[in-house]
Amino acid sequence: MIMDRHVLIFDYDGTIHETLRIYEPAMRDSFCWLFQQYGIKVPEISDRQIASWLGVNSIDTWRLILPDCPENIREEASDHVAAHMAKLVEQGYGKWYDGMREQLVYLKSQGYTMIVLSNCRISYKNAHWNAFAMHELFDKFYDCESFGYLPKEDIFQYIKEEFPGSYIVIGDRFSDIKCAVKNSLKSVGCLYGYGSPDELSDADILISSPKELSKAIKELTIPT
């Protein structure tokens, strides 16, 4: 068992949850809704491009998709996606990566404090918290909506007040590694997620499968 208080800060989408299986249909549905509701035709977008938006907060995503669209319509589209995804999760379409729950159960048994920090909405957080009984494993789930969509490196300032200790950030996107670098934290980059190897290049350790997670955490928490 570990003696010092190590706090593991997990990204959620692309790190724990296989999000594309609910995100892609929700986005496609929102494109149809935009055309039906406002006559706005979204340019042809590939599944790969949609996957690249995972881990980016919804405000920035819709500014990329519809840069010339009024802000209120972008917000409505974002709301539409969030509601659709929450509904899919409630219907049982959400899925954690194979082997992830076993890794989390093991890390919990070793005494780690585990929290989630995600660029998601409150409703999305609540849907997953309930669907996956996340209270059994995690001490808290931080969503960016509750902090006015601040970047993760700024939300960390609140985390360290509530959960003092030494930290490891685990994630699949640049925003996760940036959070670690900006705050001089250790990090694990998840190559199996939705980011590119280049955006994870500053991580202390890279893993190719969730099954490698506990080994990577152990390496980073061994006293030097």
Side-chain angles (χ1 to χ4, degrees):
M1 297 288 286
I2 57 176
M3 301 301 293
D4 189 20
R5 187 183 192 188
H6 293 291
V7 181
L8 307 183
I9 303 174
F10 287 87
D11 171 55
Y12 188 69
D13 295 317
T15 298
I16 294 173
H17 183 252
E18 285 189 62
T19 312
L20 192 60
R21 59 190 287 129
I22 63 169
Y23 185 62
E24 189 270 338
M27 290 299 287
R28 299 283 181 204
D29 185 75
S30 75
F31 299 160
C32 292
W33 174 84
L34 278 165
F35 185 73
Q36 293 168 356
Q37 191 78 9
Y38 294 106
I40 295 172
K41 187 174 176 63
V42 176
E44 188 75 21
I45 293 176
S46 68
D47 290 354
R48 184 172 183 176
Q49 182 64 41
I50 290 175
S52 75
W53 298 328
L54 282 162
V56 180
N57 76 55
S58 61
I59 291 176
D60 291 339
T61 296
W62 283 101
R63 284 174 179 164
L64 287 170
I65 300 169
L66 299 173
D68 300 320
C69 188
E71 186 70 26
N72 67 301
I73 295 178
R74 290 199 296 254
E75 289 176 359
E76 284 187 60
S78 181
D79 290 344
H80 189 88
V81 172
H84 194 115
M85 291 177 73
K87 182 178 179 180
L88 290 174
V89 171
E90 290 165 0
Q91 292 175 342
Y93 289 100
K95 183 179 182 296
W96 284 8
Y97 286 104
D98 291 341
M100 178 54 71
R101 193 169 197 96
E102 291 80 1
Q103 290 287 303
L104 294 172
V105 167
Y106 173 75
L107 290 168
K108 183 75 171 179
S109 75
Q110 296 303 294
Y112 291 98
T113 296
M114 301 198 299
I115 64 174
V116 173
L117 172 57
S118 173
N119 283 325
C120 73
R121 289 169 169 255
I122 296 169
S123 59
Y124 186 80
K125 171 188 70 176
N126 291 341
H128 285 264
W129 189 263
N130 294 326
F132 293 96
M134 292 178 68
H135 66 279
E136 296 175 356
L137 298 168
F138 293 97
D139 295 271
K140 190 161 183 176
F141 192 140
Y142 290 84
D143 64 273
C144 68
E145 183 184 7
S146 295
F147 297 89
Y149 296 96
L150 286 173
K152 289 185 175 184
E153 62 266 25
D154 292 340
I155 298 175
F156 172 73
Q157 308 310 315
Y158 297 91
I159 293 173
K160 71 179 184 180
E161 292 295 322
E162 190 167 0
F163 296 98
S166 57
Y167 307 90
I168 299 174
V169 177
I170 304 101
D172 71 313
R173 297 305 308 268
F174 173 73
S175 59
D176 306 308
I177 306 308
K178 182 181 178 184
C179 175
V181 171
K182 288 280 189 178
N183 291 287
S184 301
L185 312 177
K186 295 178 180 179
S187 61
V188 176
C190 301
L191 293 170
Y192 58 83
Y194 301 113
S196 68
D198 286 346
E199 63 187 289
L200 300 176
S201 61
D202 287 331
D204 293 290
I205 294 179
L206 296 173
I207 61 175
S208 300
S209 164
K211 296 177 182 179
E212 300 171 14
L213 177 60
S214 59
K215 180 181 177 182
I217 297 299
K218 184 177 181 180
E219 288 182 29
L220 291 177
T221 54
I222 293 174
T224 57

